[in-house]
Amino acid sequence: MKEFTIIRGLFDTRKRQLIIDENFLKFENKDHNQDLFTVIPKEEIAGIRYGVHFIKGLEFYIGREYQIFIRTKAGKELKIFFKLFYKRKLEEKHQLFCDIVDALWAYYFNDILNIYIDQFNNNQNFSLAGILFKNNCIQFDKKEILYSDLAVKNYHHYLVLCSTKDQYTNKMMNYLKDKDAVILNEILNCIIKNEQLRAKEVSDRPV
């Protein structure tokens, strides 16, 4: 079990408890004394999106809000967030965000990722983040990329999946705005590594 204390920002200085347990997630996101916490059982957790929203002043950015959205199987989202301004406690807040994300992966989302990987390895069709995974390719927006031609470009706040043979066959996904884009990134990179290993085995095979 991991426990974190979250202070949302300048106008909400109350210390809120976040508990990440192997059986449930519990967050003090409410303000009613008799009903402070939202609790989500692990088996109800379905997806995630997270990232940094930059806060803009009149002429330049003055702060940032770290945001994490946990989605349930019912489609509801629990928002976990905290802000900082003018880089005050930047290192501390950024580390808190990273530690929470790491714990969420360790307790919940590695298991969810493995379910998708098992489906892929068993040649089952499935959809993730708006991408349809089929036996030999992915499909999206009436486009198709073979796994052998698939490439992923990773950036701080988004990814671009594309075809190595056609640069116009691509799709950009934002880790914060697009649901499950972070999970998608993991499985795409697993597939690409498998394809690279398969290609190497073929090239190393004696004639």
Side-chain angles (χ1 to χ4, degrees):
M1 182 176 70
K2 297 284 187 180
E3 295 188 31
F4 302 93
T5 299
I6 292 175
I7 299 175
R8 286 177 169 173
L10 291 174
F11 303 106
D12 185 351
T13 58
R14 177 173 152 192
K15 294 181 179 180
R16 298 175 183 269
Q17 188 179 31
L18 170 65
I19 299 174
I20 299 175
D21 183 85
E22 62 181 2
N23 297 312
F24 62 86
L25 181 145
K26 184 177 181 180
F27 181 47
E28 190 178 343
N29 65 317
K30 304 175 186 177
D31 296 311
H32 304 290
N33 289 333
Q34 296 180 350
D35 183 24
L36 292 173
F37 291 89
T38 293
V39 180
I40 306 175
K42 178 178 179 177
E43 60 270 18
E44 291 300 315
I45 295 175
I48 189 171
R49 56 189 176 95
Y50 55 75
V52 181
H53 170 71
F54 292 94
I55 302 169
K56 192 172 184 179
L58 292 176
E59 296 183 359
F60 52 86
Y61 291 102
I62 60 173
R64 59 178 65 183
E65 180 178 312
Y66 291 95
Q67 300 178 349
I68 301 170
F69 294 86
I70 308 295
R71 192 178 73 259
T72 68
K73 290 181 178 178
K76 296 181 179 180
E77 285 188 321
L78 171 65
K79 182 180 180 181
I80 302 166
F81 70 95
F82 47 92
K83 302 176 183 179
L84 64 89
F85 294 91
Y86 303 108
K87 296 185 178 181
R88 184 173 179 269
K89 296 185 177 180
L90 173 58
E91 186 174 334
E92 175 186 327
K93 295 291 187 180
H94 187 77
Q95 188 60 53
L96 174 62
F97 175 75
C98 292
D99 290 344
I100 292 172
V101 168
D102 286 346
L104 290 170
W105 273 99
Y107 280 82
Y108 313 127
F109 293 102
N110 280 332
D111 290 343
I112 291 175
L113 173 63
N114 287 333
I115 291 172
Y116 287 116
I117 291 175
D118 287 343
Q119 289 178 322
F120 175 79
N121 290 335
N122 292 325
N123 296 320
Q124 298 176 10
N125 291 355
F126 64 92
S127 293
L128 175 63
I131 307 296
L132 176 61
F133 288 76
K134 302 186 74 174
N135 185 40
N136 64 339
C137 67
I138 59 171
Q139 293 180 343
F140 58 92
D141 303 334
K142 298 182 179 180
K143 299 176 182 179
E144 180 177 289
I145 302 177
L146 295 174
Y147 293 127
S148 56
D149 300 332
L150 178 63
V152 176
K153 298 178 181 179
N154 296 294
Y155 301 92
H156 285 299
H157 306 294
Y158 63 94
L159 67 90
V160 178
L161 61 91
C162 56
S163 168
T164 58
K165 294 185 176 180
D166 179 7
Q167 62 177 329
Y168 296 105
T169 302
N170 63 71
K171 186 176 182 68
M172 184 181 78
M173 303 196 72
N174 186 287
Y175 297 133
L176 176 59
K177 296 179 181 179
D178 295 312
K179 68 177 184 179
D180 299 332
V182 290
I183 302 175
L184 176 70
N185 182 54
E186 293 294 327
I187 192 168
L188 289 176
N189 281 294
C190 286
I191 291 171
I192 290 171
K193 287 179 182 178
N194 287 338
E195 288 297 320
Q196 290 172 342
L197 287 173
R198 186 180 304 172
K200 186 177 186 304
E201 288 174 357
V202 171
S203 65
D204 291 344
R205 190 176 299 156
V207 178

